[in-house]
Amino acid sequence: EVELKKQISCSLQLTNKSDDNVAFKVKTTSPKKYCVRPNAGIVLPRSTCDVIVTMQSQREAPPDMQCKDKFLVQSVIIDQTATTTYITTEMVLVVSSNYITAVAIVVLCVLS
């Protein structure tokens, strides 16, 4: 729910059901409006990672309550020895795009 002039946070849980390390990167169409922490990282085999998405305080509601903001979560299996320094914006270019999984998330605005 959107409360004007107030920051709002929600949690996104990423789950790795594989036996491999999985690197992820979260992107948004409105980077000045949202803070994503961590915005990239490694999810260990058979574990989860919580990502906190915080929407900065808004002065006014979007026109017609239509929010066009989107998030993209990209993930790729990486070598067991890779560290978080491996995960860069160029990660997509380093690994063949055939192995990258991407999930799009659309933001829904509800005034409280």
Side-chain angles (χ1 to χ4, degrees):
E1 290 187 25
V2 176
E3 289 186 49
L4 298 179
K5 300 179 183 174
K6 185 176 179 184
Q7 279 190 345
I8 301 162
S9 294
C10 71
S11 178
L12 178 67
Q13 188 175 70
L14 306 180
T15 302
N16 178 1
K17 295 182 178 181
S18 77
D19 293 321
D20 300 300
N21 284 350
V22 174
F24 72 89
K25 181 142 182 82
V26 182
K27 298 178 178 181
T28 179
T29 56
S30 301
K32 291 181 181 178
K33 190 173 176 182
Y34 298 95
C35 176
V36 180
R37 293 291 177 256
N39 64 350
I42 296 174
V43 185
L44 298 176
R46 307 268 174 217
S47 64
T48 61
C49 176
D50 289 324
V51 175
I52 305 300
V53 177
T54 303
M55 183 175 76
Q56 304 304 319
S57 60
Q58 302 298 300
R59 294 184 191 149
E60 54 189 42
D64 299 326
M65 287 306 292
Q66 296 298 312
C67 186
K68 295 182 177 161
D69 302 338
K70 295 178 186 165
F71 288 86
L72 181 69
V73 180
Q74 294 178 309
S75 63
V76 64
I77 292 174
I78 59 171
D79 185 89
Q80 296 287 347
T81 60
T83 64
T84 52
T85 55
Y86 168 81
I87 306 160
T88 64
T89 307
E90 292 77 33
M91 176 181 79
V92 179
L93 302 175
V94 174
V95 181
S96 170
S97 62
N98 294 339
Y99 301 107
I100 294 176
T101 302
V103 176
I105 302 169
V106 177
V107 176
L108 177 66
C109 294
V110 179
L111 276 179
S112 60

